[in-house]
Every structure is written in C-alpha cells, then in structure tokens.
C-alpha cells in the first residue's frame, strides 16, 4: 500500500474502534493475561464464536469487525497487533509475512487435514504461517426451493444484486467476474490471473468483464440501484432473496445466514448454467476462507490456534455457528443442503480455487473493487480503461512482493 492509502485506512480504523468495534471483555478476569483476537464475525456469529472460545478455558478478548483489514493495519502501525488475526483471505497476510510479523504455526494443526487450496504458499515465505478456520462455497446460485431455475442464463430482472458492504463495497461484483473467468477459461488461467501472472487487459479477462457489464446494461437504473443495496439485504430482514422482487442470488454459502428463519426454504445450484453468456460447464468451484495468523508469541495464543484448528474445535464451531470447515477430518453436516455443500469440500469433484480478490495484494484488490463499482454505475462504458487502471496498480507493486501459489487445488 502507498503511504496515503495506509494513512487513510489508519484513520478509518481509529473511527471504527472508537465507534464500538473495540475489544470485548469476556473470557477471563481482568488480572489474567488474555489472548487478543481480531476477527470478521459480528452480531450472531460473534456470539457463537465466543461460545466456542469460552469452551477452551483460555482467557481472551475478541474484537469483531467487518473492517478487519483496516483495523489490523492500524493496530500493527500502532505497535499493538492482536495475538491472533483472522482475515477473509491471505493476500494481506503474505505482506505481513514478508515483513517478518507472523509467527510459525508448525505443530499447531494437522497439515494432512488441510489440503489445497487451503494451504496456499508463496515463494520465499514459510508455508506454515496461516490456517483456515471457516470455509465457504462459491460458484453457486441460491433460489427459493419451490422455484428452481431453468438451466439457462437469467436476465438481470431475475437477479438479487447488492454491492454494499461495511468494509469492502464492490466485492459481490468481483465474485461475478471471478466466476465468469473461472467457468469460461478454467482454473489454470484463473490462478495465473489471480496471482498476477496474467495482464488485466488480457482478452479472456476483458471478455468476462464485458459479459458481466452486458448483463447490467439490460436495466441501467436497476444496476445503479444495486450500488445502494447491501449484499445482506435490509437490517432485520431475510436477505435479498427473500426480500421480494428477485429470484436468484449469486452468493456464497454464507448467504444462508442472511435468510434468518427462512433459510430452510433456500436451495442452491451450480452457477455455470445461469451466468451471462452461458450456459457453461462447471470447470471449478470458487471458495473462500477466513485464515488465522499468529502475531503474538505467547503459549496461550499458540494453544488457542491449536484448539481452533483441531477437528474438535472445528466441529464445535460448525455446530454453534452453522459454518463449514475446510478440515477434511470434520464429518459432513446434517441436512440435505448442508451435506451437499460439505461434500463439495470433501469430495472435490472439480478443482477448488480460492477467491481471486482475497489472494491479491491489498492495493490491487481495492482497485478491483473500485473498478467493479464504476462498472455498475456506468455499465454502458467500455471496460478497457478500467482494466488498464487496475493493471497500473498491479505494475506498481514491488517485484520483490511474494506471489501466492497453490490457489487452486486439484479435483480428487
């Protein structure tokens, strides 16, 4: 990141912390040294995650915020990073690793229980500096179970689309573009692109982006309205899918949490047949994960990582939070929808590829999100200059910056 960006993020994080995202106190008395944890889970999932932490008997404080990247940067720059940071992706963790800020996790989890793509590496960086604690399946489309879609591209009027997010507006659109590249070009090219080995102006990237813009241009007013909609739907509502007015939602497995007491009425299908320009065959599934890294050196912090990454800890987190585990030793969840999602992780019928924006350097990812938002606002404009702008940011990255590998795992 450049100095101006780091400064702006530092100010934002200070505002967020002052506004109520500070460390919470349960998990031990004030006299006991506590393991400090920064994570992305708030509201109900924060409560559920704390229930898991309480079961370990280790004194802790947990800071839950949608702006984990910004808050972590501020705390690192202030010289007071958390013992454990849990981030939605490893792009930034590579940068912290390159600066020598992360502690090795060797011996803290069973490596054979976490295969690719859950153990991405980087040249010149130790391969034991992060471990995923929660997984989500992407490259899927949710629909109301009584209204299965036809296996053909759907018009814009059918789609639930919201670009808003507290800390990273625009990423729902990046998921569309990533999925289009993955299903059209396959995992090998997708990994090259995600890790900086392919120009953003490459025809295959440009074509996928243009195809998505072609969907948005069907109704410019509806597309621009998506800029105002939060991807979770109204506060206290039932998500976008059950909020009325749309039938399909291109969203990860975490979307079920937004549907509240209507979640049992939601089902999903592979996205490939429904994406614009298709139908396509399913070449791979995009997945996402929340990765834990260790900044602190205390034995208690190491023990906390050990327990969170263990089969028992992952099972408990799955029961309490309704989340999915990347740990292959964790049994599949019950329920037809849950079992089907779990089976995609364990059986890996097609390759699994980590979310591209989550493995990109922070500055490139942010430029990606900005270009997405501009496309939603002006879908009729050529995408070429937007891609050129992202490429300039990518070119400005130091040649010494480590690039991730192992972003896509092989089908079993």
């Amino acid at each position: 990141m450049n100095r101006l960006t780091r400064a702006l993020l530092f100010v934002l994080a200070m505002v967020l912390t002052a506004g109520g995202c500070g460390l919470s106190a349960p998990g031990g008395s004030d006299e006991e040294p506590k393991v400090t944890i920064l994570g992305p889970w708030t509201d109900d999932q924060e409560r559920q995650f704390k229930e898991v932490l309480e079961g370990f008997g280790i004194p802790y404080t947990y800071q839950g915020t949608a702006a984990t990247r910004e808050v972590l940067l501020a705390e690192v720059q202030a010289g007071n990073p958390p013992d454990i940071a849990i981030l939605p992706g490893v792009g930034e963790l590579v940068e912290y690793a390159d600066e020598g800020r992360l502690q090795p996790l060797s011996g803290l989890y069973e490596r054979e229980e976490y295969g690719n793509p859950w153990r991405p590496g980087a040249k010149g960086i130790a391969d034991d500096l992060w471990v995923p604690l929660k997984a989500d399946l992407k490259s899927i489309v949710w629909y109301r179970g009584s209204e299965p879609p036809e296996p053909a591209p759907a018009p814009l009027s059918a789609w639930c689309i919201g670009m808003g997010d507290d800390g990273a507006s625009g990423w729902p659109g990046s998921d569309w573009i990533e999925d289009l590249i993955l299903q059209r070009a396959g995992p090998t090219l997708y990994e090259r692109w995600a890790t900086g080995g392919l120009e953003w102006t490459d025809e295959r990237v440009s074509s996928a982006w243009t195809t998505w813009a072609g969907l948005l241009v069907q109704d410019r007013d509806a597309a621009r309205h998506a800029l105002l909609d939060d991807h979770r739907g109204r506060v206290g509502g039932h998500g976008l899918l059950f909020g009325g007015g749309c039938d399909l939602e291109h969203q990860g497995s975490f979307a079920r949490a937004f549907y509240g007491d209507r979640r049992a009425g939601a089902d999903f299908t592979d996205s490939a047949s429904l994406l614009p320009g298709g139908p396509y065959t399913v070449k791979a599934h995009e997945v996402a994960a929340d990765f834990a890294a260790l900044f602190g050196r205390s034995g208690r912090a190491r023990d906390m990582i050990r327990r969170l990454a263990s089969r028992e800890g992952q099972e408990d987190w799955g029961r309490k939070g309704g989340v999915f585990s990347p740990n292959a030793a964790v049994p599949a969840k019950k329920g037809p929808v849950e079992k089907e999602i779990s089976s995609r992780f364990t059986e890996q019928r097609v390759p699994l590829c980590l979310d591209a924006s989550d493995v990109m350097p922070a500055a490139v990812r942010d430029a990606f999100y900005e270009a997405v938002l501009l496309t939603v606002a002006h879908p009729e404009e050529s995408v070429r200059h937007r891609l050129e702008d992202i490429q300039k940011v990518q070119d400005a990255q130091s040649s010494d910056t480590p690039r991730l590998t192992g972003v896509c795992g092989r089908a079993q």
Side-chain angles (χ1 to χ4, degrees), residues 19 57 82 116 126 208 221 252 257 273 298 392 394:
N116 285 335
D221 289 338
S273 65
S298 74
K392 291 176 184 177
Q394 183 165 291

Side-chain angles (χ1 to χ4, degrees), residues 34-347:
K34 300 174 184 178
V35 176
T36 55
I37 305 170
L38 172 68
W41 304 307
T42 60
D43 302 322
D44 285 344
Q45 276 207 325
E46 176 174 340
R47 175 182 54 78
Q48 294 154 354
F49 184 57
K50 286 179 180 178
E51 289 180 13
V52 176
L53 297 176
E54 293 286 347
F56 298 152
I58 301 173
Y60 74 92
T61 56
Y62 174 75
Q63 183 178 5
T65 172
T68 49
R69 293 165 170 131
E70 293 81 4
V71 173
L72 178 60
L73 175 61
E75 293 179 349
V76 168
Q77 289 187 333
N80 188 34
D83 292 311
I84 298 170
I86 306 168
L87 293 184
V90 293
E92 274 140 307
L93 290 178
V94 170
E95 297 181 34
Y96 288 120
D98 193 40
E99 295 171 357
R101 297 184 183 275
L102 304 185
Q103 305 303 314
L105 306 182
S106 51
L108 299 186
Y109 67 98
E110 299 294 334
R111 290 174 60 85
E112 64 273 13
E113 295 177 355
Y114 293 89
N116 285 335
W118 309 119
R119 294 206 327 256
K123 186 176 180 180
I125 299 293
D127 63 356
D128 62 348
L129 296 177
W130 40 73
V131 61
L133 299 183
K134 173 180 175 287
D136 279 295
L137 178 67
K138 295 191 173 184
S139 298
I140 58 175
V141 171
W142 291 98
Y143 61 91
R144 291 182 289 278
S146 60
E147 305 170 31
E150 294 292 327
L156 181 62
S157 58
W159 291 102
C160 314
I161 302 178
M163 293 293 114
D165 189 3
D166 299 330
S169 292
W171 69 258
S174 74
D175 276 4
W176 278 85
I177 294 165
E178 291 160 2
D179 204 8
L180 278 164
I181 293 172
L182 186 58
Q183 306 310 332
R184 289 159 65 111
T188 300
L189 183 132
Y190 173 93
E191 181 165 347
R192 281 181 56 204
W193 165 66
T195 56
L198 185 72
E199 297 280 318
W200 282 83
T201 52
D202 183 273
E203 189 276 333
R204 290 156 293 187
V205 177
S206 175
S207 176
W209 200 305
T210 300
T211 298
W212 183 61
L215 174 70
L216 298 173
V217 83
Q218 292 177 12
D219 187 334
R220 298 177 187 179
D221 289 338
R224 291 167 186 166
H225 189 71
L227 291 172
L228 305 177
D229 288 339
D230 191 285
H231 74 282
R232 293 157 292 200
R234 293 185 298 105
V235 175
H238 296 90
L240 293 175
L241 183 62
F242 292 94
C246 58
D247 301 311
L248 303 172
E249 185 170 14
H250 183 266
Q251 193 63 277
S253 52
F254 49 79
R256 295 181 78 238
F258 309 149
Y259 303 152
D261 58 10
R262 298 189 185 179
R263 62 190 298 172
D267 206 344
F268 75 93
T269 186
D270 292 328
S271 61
S273 65
L274 299 169
L275 295 173
Y280 310 100
T281 58
V282 180
K283 293 185 174 65
H285 278 119
E286 187 177 8
V287 294
D290 294 311
F291 288 85
L294 189 63
F295 284 77
R297 298 175 180 271
S298 74
R300 280 182 168 174
R302 293 180 62 81
D303 193 29
M304 185 71 84
I305 289 280
R306 179 185 293 109
R307 291 169 180 260
L308 285 169
S310 69
R311 170 179 171 170
E312 295 75 17
Q314 287 285 286
E315 285 190 64
D316 193 32
W317 181 208
R319 284 191 300 268
K320 291 183 168 68
V323 300
F324 297 91
S325 174
N327 187 319
V330 174
K333 298 172 71 64
K334 297 180 180 179
V337 172
E338 292 86 348
K339 287 181 67 176
E340 183 60 25
I341 292 174
S342 296
S343 72
R344 303 298 178 90
F345 296 135
T346 56
E347 297 176 14

